[in-house]
């Protein structure tokens, strides 16, 4: 890019700033849980590293997860805890950090658009990626597949496009980025293998060796971390594959038909699935590697029994870039008939306004667990993913600022939807209270209760503090007693969760 502060740099800076504001703003305004892994496979172990306490799930008892991402997030938590009281500070810091990583999508969309069609194409591609609701929603979430995407796309770009780096150095750096994405999400192996073959072809010495060297470098780092944190090198890679694919552990969390991702896309995009895919197909003529990569990601994940929409987030990012290229091609074809710059600017603004309106409309109905329907607008925003488990998170976050907490009972709330110590923060025990009889056995262990159902009438010493819709915080006077083998980690260990 030109180092001078020209129009291109100004437009890109505006888009990147807008993208950051949207991602951080939505994450802070609508705290939610799409899937429990975003907390208990990344933020919660990070909290345990940073502050010494956290809920330990079976993945981190059995050693099928790498500590690399949690360690990085732990550092972010420690560095940003000063931003707010209780858990607020480091939650803001984590959201900002993850959102900053996601800006690589905007940058790459702009650079690809600039290279393939000029400033107008760059502006449209990056603009669509800036305002698209799924990219805004998922970007601040600590899913490994989301973080991996933000290294995967730059890796592909560097491998394809010449710049000031010598060829071998550029391919080595490309390989490093691809290797990081692979180490974070081993399921991307088919896609990354295709990318390497597409870029290198038959040029073994000049391309294959530096690119493979770059890929293996971060993988070796991840493997070494496993050696120090688990029993042997690369344990989190091989044991994850063995437990989930061979032993079938992942099937316990749901089994879906092979076409489920197609259904997910229809649920998310409604009837607009058709025009979006047509635009992406038009764009694929200019950038076929992204089209093939997106298809490989969707097909390879379709072979797995357990399917979640977040797994194909890398493909969603690619499809948005391709749709941007397709949209820009239509706009450029129209603009050739116009000699007026004002008409061209108006066409671009109308184009981005239509995409923004589409994004807002689909966000208002965004819930892939609802039944399939082809509406355009949603009428119940609280039934979308924006509000999933929000009340629980706000309740625990509020308690993180209380200095009188000596124990917490979860009444009617599943621990996986509670936010864990990531939101609670206090180094005191959490007790799952599932039945009325549990109050009698556990009430001495906690002086605060967070529940989505009323406290049993016989426990009048608990007074209501505050409610967020149906989730309320209750407090009793007095201190807490130690109760052995009933706090959350003991319960999870006994149940194998």
């Amino acid at each position: 890019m030109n180092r001078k502060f020209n129009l291109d740099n100004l437009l890109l800076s505006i888009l990147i700033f807008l993208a950051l504001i949207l991602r951080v703003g939505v994450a802070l305004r609508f705290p939610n849980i799409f899937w429990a892994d975003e907390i208990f496979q990344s933020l919660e172990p990070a909290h345990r590293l940073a502050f010494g306490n956290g809920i330990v799930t079976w993945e981190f008892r059995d050693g099928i997860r790498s500590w690399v991402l949690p360690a990085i997030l732990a550092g972010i938590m420690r560095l940003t805890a000063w931003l707010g009281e209780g858990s607020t500070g480091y939650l803001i810091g984590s959201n900002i950090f993850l959102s900053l990583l996601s800006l690589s999508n905007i940058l790459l969309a702009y650079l690809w658009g600039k290279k393939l069609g000029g400033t107008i194409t760059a502006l449209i591609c990056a603009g669509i990626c800036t305002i698209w609701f799924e990219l805004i929603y998922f970007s601040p979430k600590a899913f490994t597949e989301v973080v991996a995407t933000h290294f995967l796309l730059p890796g592909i770009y560097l491998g394809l496009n010449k710049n000031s780096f010598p060829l071998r150095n550029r391919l080595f750096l490309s390989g490093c980025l691809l290797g990081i994405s692979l180490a974070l999400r081993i399921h991307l192996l088919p896609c990354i293998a295709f990318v390497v073959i597409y870029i290198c072809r038959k040029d073994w010495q000049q391309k294959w060796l530096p690119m493979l060297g770059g890929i293996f470098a971060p993988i070796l780092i991840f493997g070494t971390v496993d050696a120090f944190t688990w029993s042997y090198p690369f344990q989190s890679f091989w044991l994850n594959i063995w437990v989930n694919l061979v032993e079938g552990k992942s099937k316990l969390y749901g089994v879906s038909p092979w076409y489920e991702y197609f259904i997910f896309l229809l649920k998310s995009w409604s009837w607009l699935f058709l025009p979006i895919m047509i635009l992406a197909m038009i764009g694929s003529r200019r950038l076929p590697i992204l089209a093939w990569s997106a298809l490989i990601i969707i097909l390879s994940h379709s072979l797995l029994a357990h399917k979640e929409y977040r797994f194909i987030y890398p493909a969603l990012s690619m499809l948005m870039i391709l749709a941007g290229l397709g949209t820009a091609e239509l706009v450029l074809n129209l603009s050739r008939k116009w000699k007026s710059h004002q008409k061209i600017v108006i066409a671009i603004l109308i184009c981005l306004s239509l995409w923004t309106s589409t994004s807002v409309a689909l966000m208002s109905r965004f819930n892939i667990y609802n039944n399939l329907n082809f509406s355009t607008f949603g009428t119940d925003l609280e039934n979308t993913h924006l509000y999933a488990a929000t009340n629980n998170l706000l309740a625990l976050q509020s308690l993180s600022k209380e200095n009188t907490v000596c124990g917490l009972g979860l009444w009617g709330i599943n621990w996986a939807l509670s936010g864990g110590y990531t939101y609670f923060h206090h180094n005191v025990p959490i007790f799952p209270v599932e039945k009325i009889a549990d109050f009698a056995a556990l009430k001495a262990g906690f002086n605060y209760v967070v529940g989505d159902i009323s406290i049993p009438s016989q426990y009048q010493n608990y007074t209501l503090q505050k409610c967020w819709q149906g989730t309320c915080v209750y407090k009793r006077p007095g201190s807490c007693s130690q109760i052995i083998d009933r706090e959350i980690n003991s319960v999870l260990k006994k149940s194998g969760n």
Side-chain angles (χ1 to χ4, degrees), residues 32-202:
N32 59 77
I33 298 177
F34 184 82
W35 193 268
D37 286 6
E38 67 189 85
I39 292 178
F40 295 103
Q41 304 307 317
S42 51
L43 293 173
E44 192 74 356
H47 187 277
R48 189 151 59 100
L49 282 177
F51 305 107
N53 59 311
I55 294 176
V56 185
T57 59
W58 70 271
E59 291 93 340
F60 279 91
R61 289 196 305 270
D62 295 350
I64 73 164
R65 298 285 186 181
S66 171
W67 277 99
V68 173
L69 180 59
I72 294 171
L73 291 172
I76 299 299
M77 286 181 169
R78 292 290 293 185
L79 289 172
T80 59
W82 60 272
L83 290 174
E85 188 180 0
S87 61
T88 301
Y90 61 76
L91 287 173
I92 293 174
S94 299
N95 284 326
I96 292 175
F97 171 72
L98 293 167
S99 296
L100 284 171
L101 286 181
S102 75
L103 298 180
S104 65
N105 286 9
I106 314 302
L107 175 61
L108 269 298
Y110 194 93
L111 293 177
W112 256 316
K114 180 70 175 178
K115 182 178 180 64
L116 296 173
T119 301
I120 292 177
T121 302
L123 180 60
I124 291 175
C125 283
I128 290 172
C129 290
T130 296
I131 55 85
W132 190 246
F133 73 101
E134 289 163 316
L135 305 189
I136 293 173
Y137 177 81
F138 283 110
S139 288
K141 293 188 173 295
F143 289 124
T144 54
E145 53 273 9
V146 172
V147 178
T149 303
H150 305 147
F151 292 94
L152 175 62
L153 289 174
I156 297 173
Y157 181 85
L158 276 179
L160 283 176
N161 298 282
K162 296 179 180 179
N163 53 26
S164 58
F165 288 106
L167 176 63
R168 295 174 68 86
N169 292 348
R170 174 170 60 82
L171 292 178
F172 179 80
L173 181 56
S174 170
C176 286
L177 294 170
L178 295 176
I180 292 172
S181 63
L182 180 60
L184 287 168
R185 181 68 178 166
I186 193 66
H187 304 72
L188 293 175
L189 178 59
C191 171
I192 292 175
F194 163 76
V195 168
V196 173
I197 294 171
Y198 188 97
I199 294 173
C200 296
R201 311 288 172 88
K202 297 179 180 180

Side-chain angles (χ1 to χ4, degrees), residues 179-436:
I180 292 172
S181 63
L182 180 60
L184 287 168
R185 181 68 178 166
I186 193 66
H187 304 72
L188 293 175
L189 178 59
C191 171
I192 292 175
F194 163 76
V195 168
V196 173
I197 294 171
Y198 188 97
I199 294 173
C200 296
R201 311 288 172 88
K202 297 179 180 180
D203 196 343
W204 176 263
Q205 291 186 339
Q206 289 295 316
K207 293 185 176 181
W208 279 91
L209 291 180
M211 180 161 269
L212 290 177
I215 289 175
F216 285 122
I219 290 178
L220 286 173
I221 293 174
F222 274 70
T224 303
V225 171
D226 278 1
F228 284 97
T229 55
W230 299 122
S231 300
Y232 52 86
F234 303 104
Q235 176 177 320
S236 64
F237 292 88
W238 302 113
L239 195 55
N240 191 319
I241 294 172
W242 178 266
V243 169
N244 285 314
L245 292 185
V246 179
E247 295 183 357
K249 179 86 172 182
S250 63
K251 294 180 181 179
L252 298 177
Y253 303 98
V255 175
S256 305
W258 64 269
Y259 53 84
E260 186 72 2
Y261 287 116
F262 175 73
I263 301 298
F264 281 157
L265 288 170
L266 285 175
K267 287 183 175 181
S268 184
W269 297 351
S270 186
W271 63 271
L272 291 161
F273 169 86
L274 185 59
I276 291 173
M277 291 304 297
I278 291 174
L279 290 171
M281 291 174 65
I282 295 173
S284 67
R285 297 181 302 172
R286 307 295 302 277
L287 200 56
I289 188 173
L290 282 195
W292 285 112
S293 297
L295 182 62
I296 289 170
I297 289 170
I298 294 173
L299 291 180
S300 61
H301 281 81
S302 296
L303 297 176
L304 303 176
H306 179 60
K307 299 175 179 65
E308 297 174 31
Y309 192 49
R310 62 187 174 97
F311 290 166
I312 62 168
Y313 174 82
L316 296 179
S317 299
M318 295 172 183
L319 288 173
M320 284 303 108
I321 294 175
L322 293 172
L325 291 174
T327 303
E329 185 172 331
L330 296 181
V331 172
L332 287 173
N333 287 337
L334 289 174
S335 68
R336 291 190 183 100
K337 303 177 183 179
W338 301 328
K339 296 182 180 180
S340 169
H341 292 296
Q342 290 181 340
K343 290 183 178 179
I344 296 174
V345 171
I346 291 173
I348 295 172
L349 292 177
I350 291 175
C351 165
L352 292 177
S353 297
L354 287 173
W355 271 99
T356 302
S357 301
T358 300
S359 178
V360 172
L362 294 181
M363 174 63 92
S364 71
R365 60 183 298 283
F366 180 45
N367 190 334
I368 61 166
Y369 302 122
N370 284 341
N371 293 328
L372 178 62
N373 69 79
F374 293 100
S375 63
T376 305
F377 297 93
T379 57
D380 183 10
L381 194 62
E382 293 186 3
N383 190 36
T384 65
H385 290 300
L386 284 176
Y387 282 92
T390 295
N391 299 334
N392 301 342
L393 301 183
L394 292 175
L396 264 69
Q397 189 174 351
S398 72
L399 280 181
S400 72
K401 304 172 186 178
E402 294 287 341
N403 56 16
T404 59
V405 181
C406 58
L408 174 66
L410 296 178
W411 171 237
I413 293 177
N414 189 299
W415 64 271
L417 299 177
S418 68
Y421 287 96
T422 299
Y423 280 81
F424 181 51
H425 192 47
H426 292 291
N427 190 15
V428 301
I430 296 176
F431 297 91
V433 186
E434 299 177 354
K435 299 174 291 185
I436 293 180

